[in-house]
Amino acid sequence: MTGKRTAAGLGLGLGLAVLTGLGANAVARSQDPLVISITIHYSHFEPTTVRVPTGRPVTFVITNTDPIDHEWIVGNAASHERHRTGSEPVHDARPTEISIPAGTERRTTLTFPAAGSELFICHLPGHEAYGMVGTVAITPGG
Amino acid sequence: MRQRRHFGRFGLGLSTAVLGLFLAVTPTLACGGLIGPNGAVNLLRTTTLAGYHDGIEHYVTSFEFAGGGGAFGSITPLPGIPTSVVKGGDWTLQRLIRETSPQFDARLGAVAAPAASAGAVELMKVKIDALDITVLKGGAADIGAWAKDHGFRLPPDSPEVLDFYAERSPIFLAAAFDADAAANRGQQVGDGTPVHITIPTDNPWVPLRILALGKAGTDQVQADVYLLTDEAPALLPAPTGRNGIRLDHSAPASESLLADLNADRGMDWVPTTSAWLTKVAVDGTAGQLGYDLAIDASGAGRPSPIDAGFTMPGAIVPPAQFDLSRLLLALAFVATGLVGIAMISRARPSTGRPIGW
């Protein structure tokens, strides 16, 4: 009788431990950055649309295969309007604005707090007009 | 006494050979686009002569000073490694324009028309007046890095365009206008510096796609390309007028033209007796110019699709698939035809001899 109770207790404890562990792991994974790769080739982004959840860090890995420099600047309309007339030659101070020299790879990690969409654009002269525009679609949840 | 030289399969005047590529301040180059510091592009109508003689191609083009300070640059794809880059003749380009200008009437004595990076290998460096010219060998990445190292910014379509050329001939001529030196020389805005490029090659072609560099697809591109050959050349693509290029002139070159060209500085390779003059006008949108002009003046009539940029070197053309069903169908048709012929022959009365013999 005592043996059965002991076994049942052990089983229950083990089950709780497993469930707790799984839950903790799930929480941890939801906080791991989601990795999204974007390639630049012939002055175009690929893909041009990426989907990300709100509240979870997202690491963008941007690879520039071109022999010329590019930028990847993500933000709202007002932000892009500032950059269209801006004069910063290099962006490396803000995670939403990065320069990617020719033939290099750059990473940046962002968290989008609210659902919606933002554009990512290369604001070097003529590049936006040439088609270097993409969209980050931000969806609720993680 | 000049030695008379036999004209090779193609001598030509290419009036837009220099392709503008990159730059920093405010300049202008012959046959190409000009990209300013704000990314704006200006296009000049330019004239270039390219000649071909005994396997040597001669490009004569002009870089025009557009004012301003600092430097601007351009890049011209070349079909081979040049043996020399020198100052061009004084009147060659103007004389070609006059020859094909519909307003000109020689009998009336009309006035002549006005006128690397770690990867790129610098094969030649030449200074002509205020122009600093560098001949480069390298792929698109090499040229891009060289341009950046030298303070030039390439437009966004340059990666694709550089690949387009580098896969066929990784030789480029970069020309940078030193505006300060031009000012010191007293050069005025619009003054041109002719440059004569001598290139041994078996496959001359005229770069046209580079003329659209840095321009929107609907932007207009205009330039004049002169070809001087032994006989009428075969062109690819054919200048139909609907594809962005138009045939404005095609006729034997006049003796006076040949004599005038031959007398100019560095132009003694031009034959004085006979040649064929062709003028191709580039007059279309940047979006139309996705090709170069391949020329065959050998008489074979086979301009190269590779030189035109329609096919890349090494492209594999898939062999025709063996289709058994088609073969059987063809054999069935043949068999049916033979049976039919046999039946008709049997049914037809013989005319050889009377029936009953």
Side-chain angles (χ1 to χ4, degrees), chain B residues 140-222:
Chain B
D142 302 323
I143 302 302
W146 184 94
K148 182 179 179 182
D149 290 347
H150 289 76
F152 296 115
R153 184 174 54 226
L154 297 171
D157 54 340
S158 61
E160 186 171 2
V161 174
L162 287 175
D163 268 350
F164 175 78
Y165 285 105
E167 290 180 14
R168 291 180 292 148
S169 176
I171 308 298
F172 296 87
L173 182 144
F177 222 127
D178 184 336
D180 297 330
N184 292 336
R185 292 176 52 83
Q187 282 189 263
Q188 304 296 314
V189 172
D191 285 352
T193 299
V195 175
H196 181 169
I197 308 159
T198 303
I199 311 162
T201 179
D202 292 331
N203 298 295
W205 42 262
V206 177
L208 296 184
R209 182 175 180 179
I210 195 80
L211 298 175
L213 188 72
K215 297 170 182 57
T218 55
D219 287 350
Q220 202 69 18
V221 177
Q222 293 182 323

Coordinates of all heavy atoms in Angstrom, one line a residue, chain B residues 140-222:
Chain B
A140 N 32.4 42.5 -61.6 CA 31.6 43.6 -61.1 C 32.0 44.0 -59.7 O 32.0 45.2 -59.4 CB 30.1 43.1 -61.2
A141 N 32.3 43.0 -58.9 CA 32.6 43.3 -57.5 C 33.9 44.1 -57.4 O 34.1 45.1 -56.6 CB 32.7 42.1 -56.6
D142 N 34.9 43.8 -58.3 CA 36.1 44.4 -58.3 C 36.0 45.9 -58.8 O 36.6 46.8 -58.2 CB 37.1 43.7 -59.3 CG 37.3 42.3 -58.9 OD1 37.4 42.0 -57.7 OD2 37.4 41.4 -59.8
I143 N 35.2 46.1 -59.8 CA 35.0 47.4 -60.4 C 34.2 48.3 -59.3 O 34.5 49.4 -59.1 CB 34.2 47.4 -61.7 CG1 35.0 46.5 -62.7 CG2 34.0 48.8 -62.2 CD1 36.4 47.0 -63.0
G144 N 33.3 47.7 -58.7 CA 32.5 48.4 -57.7 C 33.4 48.8 -56.5 O 33.3 50.0 -56.1
A145 N 34.3 47.9 -56.1 CA 35.2 48.3 -55.0 C 36.2 49.4 -55.4 O 36.5 50.3 -54.7 CB 35.9 47.1 -54.5
W146 N 36.6 49.3 -56.7 CA 37.6 50.3 -57.2 C 36.9 51.6 -57.2 O 37.5 52.7 -56.8 CB 38.1 49.9 -58.6 CG 39.1 50.8 -59.1 CD1 40.5 50.6 -59.1 CD2 38.9 52.0 -59.8 NE1 41.1 51.7 -59.7 CE2 40.2 52.5 -60.2 CE3 37.8 52.7 -60.2 CZ2 40.3 53.7 -60.9 CZ3 37.9 53.9 -60.9 CH2 39.2 54.4 -61.3
A147 N 35.7 51.6 -57.7 CA 35.0 52.9 -57.8 C 34.8 53.5 -56.4 O 35.0 54.7 -56.2 CB 33.6 52.7 -58.4
K148 N 34.4 52.7 -55.4 CA 34.2 53.2 -54.1 C 35.5 53.7 -53.5 O 35.6 54.8 -52.9 CB 33.6 52.1 -53.2 CG 33.4 52.6 -51.8 CD 32.8 51.4 -50.9 CE 32.5 51.9 -49.5 NZ 32.0 50.8 -48.7
D149 N 36.6 53.0 -53.7 CA 37.9 53.4 -53.2 C 38.3 54.7 -53.8 O 39.1 55.5 -53.2 CB 38.9 52.3 -53.5 CG 38.7 51.1 -52.7 OD1 38.0 51.1 -51.7 OD2 39.3 50.1 -53.0
H150 N 37.8 55.0 -55.0 CA 38.3 56.3 -55.7 C 37.2 57.4 -55.5 O 37.2 58.3 -56.3 CB 38.6 56.0 -57.1 CG 39.9 55.2 -57.3 ND1 40.0 53.9 -57.0 CD2 41.1 55.6 -57.6 CE1 41.2 53.5 -57.2 NE2 41.9 54.5 -57.6
G151 N 36.3 57.2 -54.6 CA 35.3 58.2 -54.3 C 34.1 58.4 -55.2 O 33.4 59.4 -55.2
F152 N 33.9 57.3 -56.0 CA 32.7 57.4 -56.9 C 31.6 56.5 -56.4 O 31.8 55.5 -55.8 CB 33.1 56.9 -58.3 CG 34.2 57.8 -59.0 CD1 35.4 57.3 -59.2 CD2 33.9 59.1 -59.3 CE1 36.4 58.1 -59.8 CE2 34.8 59.9 -59.9 CZ 36.1 59.4 -60.2
R153 N 30.4 57.0 -56.7 CA 29.2 56.2 -56.3 C 28.5 55.7 -57.5 O 28.2 56.4 -58.4 CB 28.3 57.1 -55.5 CG 27.1 56.3 -55.0 CD 26.3 57.2 -54.1 NE 25.9 58.4 -54.7 CZ 26.0 59.6 -54.2 NH1 26.4 59.8 -53.0 NH2 25.6 60.7 -54.8
L154 N 28.3 54.4 -57.5 CA 27.7 53.7 -58.6 C 26.1 53.8 -58.4 O 25.7 53.7 -57.3 CB 28.1 52.3 -58.8 CG 29.6 52.1 -59.1 CD1 30.0 50.6 -59.0 CD2 29.9 52.6 -60.5
P155 N 25.4 53.9 -59.5 CA 23.9 54.0 -59.4 C 23.4 52.6 -59.1 O 24.1 51.6 -59.2 CB 23.5 54.4 -60.8 CG 24.6 54.1 -61.7 CD 25.9 54.1 -60.9
P156 N 22.1 52.5 -58.7 CA 21.6 51.2 -58.2 C 21.5 50.1 -59.3 O 21.5 48.9 -58.9 CB 20.2 51.6 -57.7 CG 19.9 52.9 -58.2 CD 21.2 53.6 -58.4
D157 N 21.4 50.5 -60.5 CA 21.3 49.5 -61.6 C 22.7 49.0 -62.0 O 22.8 48.1 -62.8 CB 20.6 50.0 -62.8 CG 21.1 51.3 -63.3 OD1 21.8 52.0 -62.6 OD2 20.9 51.6 -64.5
S158 N 23.8 49.5 -61.4 CA 25.1 49.2 -61.8 C 25.5 47.7 -61.5 O 26.2 47.1 -62.3 CB 26.2 50.1 -61.2 OG 26.1 50.0 -59.8
P159 N 25.0 47.1 -60.4 CA 25.4 45.7 -60.2 C 25.0 44.8 -61.4 O 25.8 44.0 -61.8 CB 24.7 45.3 -58.9 CG 24.6 46.6 -58.2 CD 24.3 47.6 -59.2
E160 N 23.8 45.0 -61.9 CA 23.3 44.1 -63.0 C 24.1 44.5 -64.3 O 24.4 43.6 -65.0 CB 21.8 44.3 -63.1 CG 21.2 43.3 -64.2 CD 19.7 43.3 -64.2 OE1 19.1 44.1 -63.4 OE2 19.1 42.5 -64.9
V161 N 24.3 45.8 -64.5 CA 24.9 46.2 -65.7 C 26.4 45.8 -65.7 O 26.9 45.3 -66.8 CB 24.8 47.7 -65.9 CG1 25.6 48.2 -67.1 CG2 23.3 48.1 -66.0
L162 N 27.1 45.9 -64.6 CA 28.5 45.5 -64.6 C 28.6 44.0 -64.8 O 29.5 43.5 -65.5 CB 29.1 45.9 -63.2 CG 29.4 47.3 -63.0 CD1 29.9 47.6 -61.6 CD2 30.4 47.8 -64.0
D163 N 27.7 43.2 -64.2 CA 27.7 41.8 -64.5 C 27.5 41.5 -66.0 O 28.1 40.6 -66.6 CB 26.6 41.1 -63.7 CG 27.1 40.6 -62.3 OD1 28.3 40.6 -62.1 OD2 26.3 40.2 -61.5
F164 N 26.6 42.2 -66.6 CA 26.2 42.1 -68.0 C 27.5 42.2 -68.9 O 27.7 41.4 -69.8 CB 25.2 43.1 -68.4 CG 24.8 43.2 -69.8 CD1 23.9 42.3 -70.4 CD2 25.3 44.2 -70.7 CE1 23.6 42.3 -71.7 CE2 24.9 44.3 -72.0 CZ 24.1 43.3 -72.5
Y165 N 28.3 43.2 -68.5 CA 29.5 43.4 -69.3 C 30.7 42.5 -68.9 O 31.4 41.9 -69.7 CB 29.9 44.8 -69.3 CG 29.1 45.7 -70.1 CD1 28.1 46.5 -69.5 CD2 29.1 45.7 -71.5 CE1 27.3 47.3 -70.3 CE2 28.3 46.4 -72.3 CZ 27.4 47.3 -71.7 OH 26.5 48.0 -72.5
A166 N 30.9 42.3 -67.6 CA 32.0 41.6 -67.1 C 32.0 40.2 -67.5 O 33.1 39.5 -67.6 CB 32.1 41.7 -65.6
E167 N 30.8 39.6 -67.7 CA 30.8 38.2 -68.1 C 31.2 38.0 -69.5 O 31.6 36.9 -69.9 CB 29.3 37.7 -67.9 CG 28.9 37.5 -66.5 CD 27.5 37.0 -66.3 OE1 26.9 36.5 -67.3 OE2 26.9 37.1 -65.2
R168 N 31.2 39.1 -70.3 CA 31.7 39.0 -71.7 C 33.1 39.5 -71.9 O 33.9 39.0 -72.6 CB 30.7 39.7 -72.6 CG 29.4 39.0 -72.7 CD 28.4 39.7 -73.6 NE 28.0 41.0 -73.0 CZ 27.8 42.1 -73.8 NH1 27.9 42.1 -75.1 NH2 27.4 43.2 -73.2
S169 N 33.4 40.6 -71.2 CA 34.7 41.2 -71.3 C 35.0 42.0 -70.0 O 34.4 43.1 -69.9 CB 34.8 42.1 -72.5 OG 36.1 42.7 -72.6
P170 N 35.8 41.5 -69.1 CA 36.0 42.2 -67.9 C 37.0 43.4 -68.0 O 37.8 43.5 -67.1 CB 36.6 41.1 -67.0 CG 37.4 40.2 -67.9 CD 36.6 40.3 -69.2
I171 N 36.9 44.1 -69.0 CA 37.8 45.3 -69.3 C 36.9 46.5 -69.3 O 36.0 46.6 -70.0 CB 38.5 45.1 -70.6 CG1 39.2 43.8 -70.7 CG2 39.5 46.3 -70.7 CD1 40.3 43.5 -69.7
F172 N 37.3 47.5 -68.4 CA 36.6 48.7 -68.3 C 37.5 49.9 -68.4 O 38.7 49.8 -67.9 CB 35.8 48.8 -67.0 CG 34.7 47.7 -66.9 CD1 35.0 46.5 -66.4 CD2 33.4 48.0 -67.3 CE1 34.1 45.5 -66.3 CE2 32.4 47.0 -67.2 CZ 32.7 45.8 -66.7
L173 N 37.1 51.0 -69.0 CA 37.8 52.2 -69.0 C 37.1 53.2 -68.1 O 36.0 53.6 -68.3 CB 38.0 52.8 -70.4 CG 38.8 54.0 -70.5 CD1 39.6 54.0 -71.8 CD2 38.0 55.3 -70.5
A174 N 37.8 53.6 -67.0 CA 37.3 54.6 -66.1 C 37.9 55.9 -66.4 O 39.1 56.0 -66.5 CB 37.5 54.2 -64.6
A175 N 37.0 56.9 -66.5 CA 37.5 58.3 -66.8 C 37.0 59.2 -65.8 O 35.8 59.3 -65.5 CB 37.1 58.7 -68.2
A176 N 37.9 59.9 -65.2 CA 37.5 60.9 -64.1 C 38.0 62.3 -64.6 O 39.1 62.5 -65.0 CB 38.2 60.6 -62.8
F177 N 37.0 63.2 -64.6 CA 37.3 64.6 -65.0 C 37.7 65.3 -63.8 O 37.0 65.5 -62.8 CB 36.0 65.2 -65.6 CG 36.3 66.0 -66.8 CD1 35.6 65.8 -68.0 CD2 37.3 67.0 -66.8 CE1 35.8 66.5 -69.1 CE2 37.5 67.7 -68.0 CZ 36.8 67.5 -69.1
D178 N 38.9 65.9 -63.8 CA 39.4 66.7 -62.8 C 39.0 68.1 -63.1 O 39.6 68.8 -63.9 CB 40.9 66.6 -62.7 CG 41.5 67.4 -61.5 OD1 40.8 68.4 -61.0 OD2 42.6 67.1 -61.0
A179 N 37.9 68.5 -62.5 CA 37.3 69.8 -62.8 C 38.2 71.0 -62.5 O 38.2 72.0 -63.2 CB 35.9 70.0 -62.1
D180 N 39.0 70.8 -61.4 CA 39.9 71.9 -61.0 C 41.0 72.0 -62.1 O 41.4 73.2 -62.5 CB 40.5 71.6 -59.7 CG 39.5 71.6 -58.6 OD1 38.5 72.3 -58.7 OD2 39.7 70.8 -57.6
A181 N 41.5 70.9 -62.6 CA 42.5 71.0 -63.6 C 41.9 71.6 -64.9 O 42.6 72.3 -65.6 CB 43.0 69.6 -63.9
A182 N 40.6 71.2 -65.2 CA 40.0 71.8 -66.4 C 39.9 73.3 -66.3 O 40.1 74.0 -67.2 CB 38.6 71.1 -66.5
A183 N 39.5 73.7 -65.1 CA 39.4 75.2 -64.9 C 40.8 75.9 -65.1 O 40.9 76.9 -65.7 CB 38.8 75.5 -63.5
N184 N 41.8 75.2 -64.5 CA 43.1 75.8 -64.7 C 43.6 75.8 -66.1 O 44.4 76.7 -66.5 CB 44.1 75.0 -63.9 CG 43.9 75.1 -62.4 OD1 43.3 76.1 -61.9 ND2 44.3 74.1 -61.6
R185 N 43.1 74.9 -66.9 CA 43.4 74.8 -68.3 C 42.6 75.8 -69.2 O 42.8 75.9 -70.4 CB 43.2 73.4 -68.9 CG 44.2 72.4 -68.3 CD 43.8 71.0 -68.9 NE 43.8 71.0 -70.4 CZ 44.8 70.9 -71.2 NH1 46.0 70.8 -70.7 NH2 44.6 71.0 -72.5
G186 N 41.6 76.4 -68.5 CA 40.8 77.4 -69.2 C 39.6 76.7 -70.0 O 39.0 77.3 -70.8
Q187 N 39.4 75.4 -69.6 CA 38.3 74.7 -70.3 C 36.9 75.3 -69.9 O 36.7 75.6 -68.7 CB 38.3 73.2 -70.0 CG 39.4 72.5 -70.8 CD 39.3 71.0 -70.7 OE1 39.9 70.4 -69.9 NE2 38.4 70.4 -71.5
Q188 N 36.1 75.5 -70.9 CA 34.7 76.0 -70.6 C 33.7 74.9 -70.6 O 34.0 73.8 -71.1 CB 34.3 77.0 -71.7 CG 35.3 78.2 -71.9 CD 35.4 79.0 -70.6 OE1 34.4 79.4 -70.0 NE2 36.6 79.4 -70.2
V189 N 32.6 75.2 -70.0 CA 31.5 74.2 -69.9 C 31.1 73.8 -71.4 O 30.9 74.7 -72.2 CB 30.3 74.7 -69.2 CG1 29.1 73.7 -69.3 CG2 30.6 74.9 -67.7
G190 N 31.1 72.5 -71.6 CA 30.8 72.0 -73.0 C 32.0 71.7 -73.8 O 31.9 71.0 -74.8
D191 N 33.2 72.1 -73.4 CA 34.4 71.8 -74.1 C 34.6 70.3 -74.0 O 34.6 69.7 -72.9 CB 35.6 72.6 -73.6 CG 35.6 74.0 -74.0 OD1 34.7 74.4 -74.8 OD2 36.4 74.8 -73.5
G192 N 34.9 69.7 -75.1 CA 35.2 68.3 -75.1 C 36.6 67.9 -75.2 O 37.4 68.7 -75.7
T193 N 37.0 66.8 -74.6 CA 38.3 66.2 -74.7 C 38.2 64.9 -75.5 O 37.7 63.9 -74.9 CB 39.0 66.0 -73.4 OG1 39.1 67.2 -72.7 CG2 40.3 65.4 -73.5
P194 N 38.6 64.9 -76.8 CA 38.5 63.6 -77.5 C 39.6 62.6 -77.0 O 40.7 63.0 -76.7 CB 38.8 64.0 -78.9 CG 39.6 65.3 -78.8 CD 39.2 66.0 -77.6
V195 N 39.2 61.4 -77.0 CA 40.0 60.3 -76.5 C 40.0 59.2 -77.6 O 38.9 58.8 -78.1 CB 39.6 59.7 -75.2 CG1 40.5 58.5 -74.8 CG2 39.7 60.8 -74.1
H196 N 41.2 58.7 -77.9 CA 41.3 57.6 -78.9 C 41.8 56.4 -78.2 O 42.9 56.4 -77.7 CB 42.2 58.1 -80.0 CG 42.4 57.1 -81.1 ND1 43.1 57.4 -82.3 CD2 42.1 55.8 -81.3 CE1 43.1 56.4 -83.1 NE2 42.5 55.4 -82.5
I197 N 41.0 55.3 -78.3 CA 41.3 54.1 -77.6 C 41.6 53.0 -78.7 O 40.7 52.8 -79.5 CB 40.2 53.6 -76.7 CG1 39.8 54.7 -75.7 CG2 40.6 52.4 -75.9 CD1 38.4 54.6 -75.1
T198 N 42.7 52.4 -78.6 CA 43.1 51.4 -79.6 C 43.0 50.0 -79.0 O 43.7 49.7 -77.9 CB 44.5 51.6 -80.1 OG1 44.6 52.9 -80.7 CG2 44.9 50.6 -81.2
I199 N 42.2 49.1 -79.5 CA 41.9 47.8 -78.9 C 42.0 46.7 -79.9 O 41.2 46.5 -80.8 CB 40.5 47.8 -78.3 CG1 40.2 49.1 -77.5 CG2 40.2 46.5 -77.5 CD1 38.7 49.3 -77.3
P200 N 43.0 45.8 -79.7 CA 43.0 44.6 -80.6 C 41.9 43.7 -80.1 O 41.8 43.4 -79.0 CB 44.4 44.0 -80.2 CG 45.2 45.1 -79.5 CD 44.2 45.9 -78.8
T201 N 41.1 43.3 -81.1 CA 40.0 42.4 -80.7 C 39.5 41.7 -82.0 O 39.6 42.3 -83.1 CB 38.9 43.1 -80.0 OG1 37.8 42.2 -79.8 CG2 38.3 44.2 -80.9
D202 N 39.0 40.5 -81.8 CA 38.4 39.8 -82.9 C 36.9 40.1 -83.0 O 36.2 39.8 -84.0 CB 38.6 38.3 -82.8 CG 40.1 37.9 -83.0 OD1 40.8 38.7 -83.8 OD2 40.5 36.9 -82.4
N203 N 36.4 40.6 -81.9 CA 34.9 40.7 -81.8 C 34.5 42.1 -81.3 O 34.2 42.3 -80.2 CB 34.4 39.7 -80.8 CG 34.6 38.3 -81.3 OD1 34.1 37.9 -82.4 ND2 35.4 37.6 -80.6
P204 N 34.6 43.1 -82.2 CA 34.2 44.4 -81.8 C 32.7 44.5 -81.7 O 31.9 43.8 -82.3 CB 34.7 45.3 -83.0 CG 34.7 44.4 -84.1 CD 35.1 43.0 -83.6
W205 N 32.3 45.3 -80.7 CA 30.9 45.6 -80.5 C 30.8 47.0 -79.9 O 31.7 47.5 -79.4 CB 30.2 44.6 -79.7 CG 30.9 44.1 -78.5 CD1 31.7 42.9 -78.4 CD2 31.0 44.7 -77.2 NE1 32.2 42.8 -77.1 CE2 31.8 43.9 -76.3 CE3 30.5 45.8 -76.6 CZ2 32.1 44.2 -75.0 CZ3 30.8 46.2 -75.3 CH2 31.6 45.3 -74.5
V206 N 29.6 47.5 -79.9 CA 29.4 48.8 -79.4 C 28.5 48.7 -78.2 O 27.4 48.2 -78.2 CB 28.6 49.7 -80.5 CG1 28.3 51.1 -79.9 CG2 29.5 49.8 -81.7
P207 N 29.0 49.2 -77.0 CA 28.2 49.1 -75.8 C 27.1 50.1 -75.8 O 27.3 51.3 -75.9 CB 29.2 49.4 -74.7 CG 30.3 50.2 -75.4 CD 30.3 49.8 -76.8
L208 N 25.9 49.7 -75.8 CA 24.7 50.5 -75.8 C 24.0 50.5 -74.4 O 23.4 51.5 -74.0 CB 23.7 50.1 -76.9 CG 24.2 50.3 -78.3 CD1 23.1 49.9 -79.3 CD2 24.7 51.7 -78.6
R209 N 23.9 49.3 -73.8 CA 23.1 49.2 -72.6 C 23.7 50.2 -71.5 O 22.9 50.7 -70.7 CB 23.2 47.8 -72.1 CG 22.4 47.6 -70.8 CD 22.3 46.2 -70.3 NE 21.5 46.1 -69.1 CZ 21.2 45.0 -68.5 NH1 21.7 43.8 -68.9 NH2 20.5 45.0 -67.4
I210 N 25.0 50.4 -71.6 CA 25.6 51.3 -70.5 C 25.0 52.7 -70.6 O 25.1 53.4 -69.6 CB 27.1 51.3 -70.7 CG1 27.8 51.8 -69.4 CG2 27.5 52.0 -71.9 CD1 27.9 50.9 -68.3
L211 N 24.5 53.0 -71.8 CA 24.0 54.4 -71.9 C 22.7 54.6 -71.0 O 22.4 55.7 -70.7 CB 23.6 54.6 -73.4 CG 24.7 54.6 -74.4 CD1 24.2 54.7 -75.8 CD2 25.7 55.6 -74.1
A212 N 22.1 53.5 -70.7 CA 20.9 53.7 -69.9 C 21.2 53.6 -68.4 O 20.3 53.7 -67.5 CB 19.9 52.5 -70.2
L213 N 22.5 53.5 -68.1 CA 22.9 53.3 -66.7 C 22.4 54.5 -65.8 O 22.6 55.7 -66.2 CB 24.4 53.2 -66.5 CG 24.9 52.9 -65.2 CD1 24.5 51.5 -64.8 CD2 26.4 53.2 -65.0
G214 N 21.8 54.2 -64.7 CA 21.4 55.3 -63.8 C 20.1 56.0 -64.2 O 19.7 57.0 -63.5
K215 N 19.4 55.5 -65.2 CA 18.2 56.2 -65.7 C 17.0 55.3 -65.4 O 17.1 54.1 -65.4 CB 18.3 56.4 -67.2 CG 19.5 57.4 -67.5 CD 19.7 57.5 -68.9 CE 20.9 58.4 -69.2 NZ 22.1 58.0 -68.4
A216 N 15.9 56.0 -65.3 CA 14.6 55.3 -65.1 C 14.2 54.7 -66.5 O 14.7 55.1 -67.5 CB 13.5 56.2 -64.6
G217 N 13.4 53.6 -66.4 CA 13.1 52.9 -67.6 C 12.4 53.8 -68.7 O 12.6 53.5 -69.9
T218 N 11.7 54.8 -68.3 CA 11.1 55.7 -69.3 C 11.9 56.9 -69.7 O 11.5 57.6 -70.6 CB 9.7 56.2 -68.7 OG1 10.0 56.9 -67.5 CG2 8.8 55.1 -68.4
D219 N 13.1 57.0 -69.1 CA 14.0 58.2 -69.5 C 14.4 58.0 -70.9 O 14.7 56.8 -71.4 CB 15.2 58.2 -68.6 CG 14.8 58.8 -67.2 OD1 13.7 59.2 -67.0 OD2 15.7 58.7 -66.3
Q220 N 14.5 59.1 -71.6 CA 15.0 59.0 -73.0 C 16.5 58.9 -73.1 O 17.2 59.6 -72.4 CB 14.5 60.2 -73.8 CG 14.4 60.1 -75.3 CD 13.3 59.1 -75.7 OE1 12.4 58.8 -74.9 NE2 13.3 58.6 -76.9
V221 N 17.0 58.1 -74.1 CA 18.4 58.0 -74.3 C 18.7 58.3 -75.8 O 18.0 57.8 -76.6 CB 18.9 56.6 -74.0 CG1 20.4 56.5 -74.3 CG2 18.7 56.2 -72.5
Q222 N 19.6 59.2 -76.0 CA 19.9 59.6 -77.4 C 21.4 59.6 -77.6 O 22.2 60.1 -76.7 CB 19.3 61.0 -77.7 CG 17.8 61.0 -77.8 CD 17.3 62.3 -78.2 OE1 17.8 63.3 -77.8 NE2 16.2 62.3 -79.0

